[in-house]
Amino acid sequence: MMIFLGVLGLALLAVAAYVLRGVYYIRKAKRLTAEVEAIGARVAGRSVAQGFLPGDRLDTGRSGPVPAEHGVVLAAVRAGDWQAGAAWIEAAGTDWEERYARVYVLGDEAAQDDGWLRAWRAARPADPAAAAVDADSALTVASNVRGALRASQTSREQFRVFHELQAKAQGLVEEAQALADPADPTPYVLEQPIALGLNYPHERFRALTAEIVKRDPKHLSAHVRALQYWCHKWHGSHAEAAAYAREAAALGEPGDLLSLLPLYAYFEQETNEADVDPDVYYKEPEIVAAATAALADVAAAAPGDRRVLRVRHMLAWVLYWQDRYPEAVEQFRHIDGYVGTAPWTYAGDPVARYLKLRDYSVGQVTPDA
């Protein structure tokens, strides 16, 4: 009996410790939130005075400014000039990530009105660029039907239509793969969202990743998508996502920006574990080292590489939690005006999340007047 009571006592103590730990984290989070809000409110005007934008001028749809040529090309295809779109994609040459980005832009446009794309496909039925845009457009339509909510918040009818559209998109992706230049990874990158939606088993997904990597081992967008597959919230685990991020990052040299991947994996784990205190978690030595490596990677990147902004957004988040405020403010200066990417989009109110961290960081490096 005494042994039982002793074991029961230990169990109750463990439960109590767990509850107290949870209370600590809740209080910690509330204290941090209150502190950020108070200081953020005090320095918001000072941030604007230093050239930062007010919240009502932040773009929630993009990670950075859009080159003027995008608008010119979109205006042309909307007017029926599909040749302008075809020429734009071909002008990317063998910069495969840029080619994929242009296919994505045109695919998104075609998902809204595809009259010009239908004319393109009729005129050039074997054009690999047109096939890729068609496949991407179908994927966008399917994604719009599915929505961005979790599975528990998505209706059976949404899932039914989504899977039908994914099956159609898969056929278009396979057509694009058959028509493409054998060196072009684009149609294989387009297959990645299908792999998530149709639940590819691990071996099949590894084979798909291998097709991409042998064509372009440093394709950042493809690696970010692959990382999503390996995340706990999709088809893997925190350990598998971290392992993939390390392996993929090792494929890059300074300036290739693959250092984003470990930071993204750490962020995904922190986001999806309710009892993680970010004020402690991000100060782990390996995460501090990963942020330092990403700073060096950004510094070595080619001038004008628009992918740098994607890394800077994540760096701003991580450096803030590491109390590296001067370095965080530097990232905010580069990305200010745009909150349409991770980590801001993981919040219900991306603008509020961004402003809290930005203004707090500014407050730490700017003395009171």
Side-chain angles (χ1 to χ4, degrees):
M1 183 66 175
M2 292 297 292
I3 293 174
F4 171 76
L5 289 174
V7 172
L8 179 61
L10 288 173
L12 289 173
L13 283 172
V15 171
Y18 179 81
V19 170
L20 287 172
R21 181 167 176 257
V23 169
Y24 166 78
Y25 281 133
I26 292 171
R27 288 177 177 171
K28 173 78 169 175
K30 287 181 177 178
R31 181 182 66 77
L32 286 170
T33 299
E35 184 180 3
V36 169
E37 287 176 346
I39 295 178
R42 192 172 74 243
V43 302
R46 197 183 321 157
S47 296
V48 173
Q50 292 185 20
F52 290 102
L53 293 176
D56 61 3
R57 291 182 58 191
L58 298 181
D59 187 329
T60 59
R62 299 180 179 88
S63 61
V66 176
E69 65 178 10
H70 284 210
V72 173
V73 172
L74 290 177
V77 297
R78 286 168 187 158
D81 183 7
W82 57 263
Q83 292 94 335
W88 187 50
I89 291 177
E90 292 311 311
T94 57
D95 182 342
W96 300 124
E97 186 142 20
E98 180 62 23
R99 182 182 178 91
Y100 165 72
R102 296 181 183 193
V103 165
Y104 182 86
V105 168
L106 291 179
D108 186 63
E109 179 64 27
Q112 302 173 55
D113 183 353
D114 67 350
W116 57 271
L117 176 58
R118 302 273 67 84
W120 183 5
R121 297 233 61 188
R124 297 182 186 173
D127 188 331
V133 173
D134 204 0
D136 188 77
S137 175
L139 288 166
T140 300
V141 172
S143 177
N144 290 341
V145 168
R146 163 66 173 82
L149 297 178
R150 293 180 178 272
S152 60
Q153 299 171 293
T154 305
S155 70
R156 288 185 178 180
E157 179 63 13
Q158 281 177 291
F159 272 122
R160 183 189 68 78
V161 177
F162 169 69
H163 286 129
E164 286 182 1
L165 292 171
Q166 282 258 299
K168 175 188 175 184
Q170 188 168 36
L172 291 169
V173 164
E174 290 170 357
E175 179 187 5
Q177 290 170 352
L179 293 172
D181 180 332
D184 184 4
T186 302
Y188 298 92
V189 178
L190 292 173
E191 190 177 349
Q192 288 181 303
I194 293 174
L196 267 67
L198 298 185
N199 306 319
Y200 279 19
H202 287 184
E203 286 308 309
R204 185 176 180 183
F205 190 78
R206 287 191 183 98
L208 173 60
T209 302
E211 292 291 342
I212 297 168
V213 169
K214 75 181 182 183
R215 291 168 170 83
D216 186 357
K218 301 177 182 182
H219 199 300
L220 181 60
S221 297
H223 284 304
V224 170
R225 278 188 165 179
L227 178 63
Q228 290 296 306
Y229 175 92
W230 291 110
C231 283
H232 173 74
K233 67 185 181 184
W234 277 103
H235 302 300
S237 65
H238 297 315
E240 287 171 311
Y244 178 83
R246 287 193 298 270
E247 292 169 8
L251 298 172
E253 301 293 333
D256 289 331
L257 303 175
L258 296 183
S259 59
L260 170 64
L261 300 168
L263 294 184
Y264 217 135
Y266 293 129
F267 169 71
E268 285 285 356
Q269 180 170 352
E270 180 262 313
T271 299
N272 287 281
E273 287 192 359
D275 63 345
V276 169
D277 180 358
D279 199 40
V280 176
Y281 171 79
Y282 285 110
K283 293 183 177 71
E284 291 289 332
E286 66 182 63
I287 306 181
V288 172
T292 300
L295 285 169
D297 206 6
V298 164
D305 189 337
R306 292 186 292 115
R307 301 175 307 154
V308 169
L309 293 178
R310 195 170 192 177
V311 187
R312 289 192 187 278
H313 280 281
M314 192 61 71
L315 269 171
W317 173 268
V318 174
L319 293 168
Y320 162 83
W321 288 109
Q322 292 175 354
D323 301 341
R324 298 165 69 173
Y325 300 115
E327 293 164 301
V329 169
E330 180 186 358
Q331 309 314 310
F332 283 117
R333 288 196 183 280
H334 285 282
I335 64 177
D336 198 50
Y338 301 91
V339 295
T341 189
W344 324 117
T345 51
Y346 277 54
D349 187 342
V351 170
R353 168 177 278 196
Y354 177 85
L355 289 176
K356 285 180 182 180
L357 271 65
R358 186 197 72 184
D359 290 345
Y360 184 94
S361 298
V362 169
Q364 294 302 297
V365 300
T366 306
D368 291 325

